Amino acid sequence: MKAVELQALKETALREGRAASTPEAIEQVRVAYLGRKGALQDIMRGLKDVDASERPAVGRIANELKTALTELLETRKTELQAGASPSATPRFDYTLPGVWNRIGTRHPVSLIIEETIRIFARMGFTVADGPDIETEYYNFDALNTPAHHPSRDTQDTFWLETGRLLRTQTSPVQIRVMEKQKPPIRIIAPGRCYRRDTTDATHSANFHQIEGLYVHRDVSLADLKGDIAGFARELMGPDVRVRFRPHFFPFTEPSVEYDFSCHVCGGKGCRVCKQSGWIEISGAGMVHPRVLKTVGYDPETVSGYAFGMGVERIAMIKYGIHDIRLLYENDVRFLEQVSV
Ligand code: PHE
């Protein structure tokens, strides 16, 4: 092959390379010129037969062809990927479904707590807080719960080596607030509680309560009933019924337990309420005079009510969740269904 012929071949190769507008076309040009059985290989193999005077020029042009074409094809490839060539620009397909960004949802327990805070805030309550790791004094003694009381049993309480404990209820926040403030007091205190319960569909060793405390002059059980019933209607809707049953707590007298009618079945009985039509929310009562004395209040001039609420229980009837464990597994498919 003569140098002029090779020069022409080089130009053709580069022209073809520039014209290649699909990955396949680029590959075709590469194989035809640079491949193992391509033109360049033929030329190299035939180099020994080339006239000695032509050989240096032929060798140089062959090298140029190789470098220039390799570079050109690389550039074409990147251009194509970037959509520089009009024919290779991906068309917008209007029929494709949109790309959704999956965003998180708020947890049902948080939703109930936030909603409860909102409702009680309208009745003049503010939010108070206390530690998860409590002393025996705040969790038991100050709440008139004597040393032999069964709730102190190691079967119920997580005791720490330091002698402290994981609070079994949010009631110690009552004491912490009353120690610092003078009546009137209107607080709610949401938080985690811990009990050595075996986990099943309605029990968990770690759960949430919302404590409520109202201390003022002439607070009565009627205030307690009215406020809880009003809260229940705000939270669950106008059809919810609330019932109070006599009960015992060391730190309230009289004491009650209260239930909401099951929101899922409307009180007819279902899996969530275990066919009873009611869900036990928690306990409540009039703050025991001894507790008032402990924090330095005069039980002759002030009285108060206190209540606890089981947040998970409320979440279960509000959202129709039949197993408390679903609330802790954090399966996003479950959480997305609940958080509308
Ligand atoms: N702390 C009690 C419980 O966990 C509930 C309660 C709160 C009862 C306030 C009376 C007053 O069972």
Side-chain angles (χ1 to χ4, degrees):
M1 181 176 273
K2 295 224 170 66
V4 272
E5 285 169 5
L6 185 54
Q7 185 64 33
L9 184 76
K10 178 182 145 192
E11 264 141 42
T12 316
L14 293 177
R15 207 179 322 115
E16 282 175 19
R18 270 192 294 272
S21 58
T22 60
E24 297 76 36
I26 293 175
E27 181 59 10
Q28 251 171 31
V29 177
R30 192 192 64 78
V31 171
Y33 291 96
L34 308 173
R36 262 192 305 129
K37 292 179 184 150
L40 204 61
Q41 281 298 319
D42 283 348
I43 292 159
M44 293 320 239
R45 263 194 295 277
L47 207 54
K48 57 182 186 319
D49 305 324
V50 172
D51 203 278
S53 60
E54 289 267 305
R55 211 176 287 152
V58 170
R60 180 176 47 79
I61 300 169
N63 269 332
E64 280 171 12
L65 167 59
K66 188 177 167 194
T67 337
L69 187 60
T70 311
E71 204 173 296
L72 175 79
L73 294 182
E74 277 311 309
T75 321
R76 287 300 293 138
K77 249 193 237 167
T78 5
E79 278 171 2
L80 270 187
Q81 270 159 11
S85 161
S87 61
T89 308
R91 299 239 179 84
F92 188 81
D93 185 348
Y94 293 93
T95 64
L96 284 175
V99 181
W100 292 91
N101 281 332
R102 198 168 194 167
I103 54 167
T105 54
R106 274 176 304 164
H107 194 278
V109 166
S110 306
L111 290 174
I112 296 291
I113 290 177
E114 283 164 24
E115 187 59 25
T116 304
I117 291 174
R118 250 197 308 275
I119 294 168
F120 277 98
R122 285 204 292 271
M123 305 200 269
F125 285 65
T126 52
V127 175
D129 197 11
D132 287 23
I133 297 178
E134 263 299 4
T135 61
E136 206 174 341
Y137 177 77
Y138 285 110
N139 199 80
F140 293 125
D141 295 310
L143 288 164
N144 193 34
T145 310
H148 59 263
H149 192 273
S151 66
R152 288 202 179 202
D153 201 312
T154 49
Q155 303 246 308
D156 297 321
T157 307
F158 287 108
W159 290 90
L160 305 180
E161 282 166 6
T162 55
R164 296 194 177 209
L165 51 89
L166 298 182
R167 66 176 174 194
T168 57
Q169 50 191 355
T170 42
S171 301
V173 184
Q174 291 183 32
I175 306 296
R176 289 181 176 273
V177 170
M178 287 193 284
E179 273 182 348
K180 287 206 204 79
Q181 298 174 28
K182 293 270 151 273
I185 284 179
R186 280 188 198 85
I187 57 107
I188 55 168
R192 284 176 189 276
C193 302
Y194 307 82
R195 283 185 204 171
R196 296 182 63 134
D197 274 335
T198 312
T199 303
D200 63 23
T202 48
H203 293 87
S204 161
N206 171 213
F207 56 98
H208 296 75
Q209 282 189 338
I210 303 174
E211 194 78 8
L213 176 68
Y214 174 36
V215 187
H216 203 358
R217 230 164 249 147
D218 300 325
V219 177
S220 72
L221 198 65
D223 293 310
L224 172 70
K225 290 180 73 175
D227 289 353
I228 292 208
F231 162 75
R233 280 192 296 271
E234 285 283 324
L235 185 76
M236 309 297 300
D239 298 333
V240 71
R241 280 161 295 136
V242 181
R243 78 177 178 189
F244 296 83
R245 293 174 282 110
H247 200 71
F248 173 80
F249 293 102
F251 39 93
T252 44
E253 181 58 37
S255 301
V256 295
E257 265 189 341
Y258 60 98
D259 309 329
F260 289 179
S261 59
C262 181
H263 181 69
V264 182
C265 59
K268 283 198 236 24
C270 68
R271 197 142 74 113
V272 177
C273 60
K274 293 187 186 144
Q275 310 306 330
S276 74
W278 297 93
I279 290 267
E280 180 190 320
I281 301 298
S282 187
M286 301 307 294
V287 181
H288 198 293
R290 259 199 232 154
V291 174
L292 295 174
K293 269 193 209 136
T294 305
V295 296
Y297 290 1
D298 176 9
E300 299 299 322
T301 55
V302 291
S303 55
Y305 72 59
F307 60 80
M309 292 190 186
V311 180
E312 282 81 354
R313 298 277 175 83
I314 298 179
M316 287 171 80
I317 45 166
K318 182 153 167 135
Y319 302 117
I321 301 163
H322 58 85
D323 193 321
I324 199 169
R325 287 168 288 202
L326 285 166
L327 290 168
Y328 305 113
E329 283 165 1
N330 288 330
D331 183 330
V332 286
R333 292 167 303 181
F334 163 75
L335 295 175
E336 275 171 355
Q337 277 179 42
V338 170
S339 317
V340 265

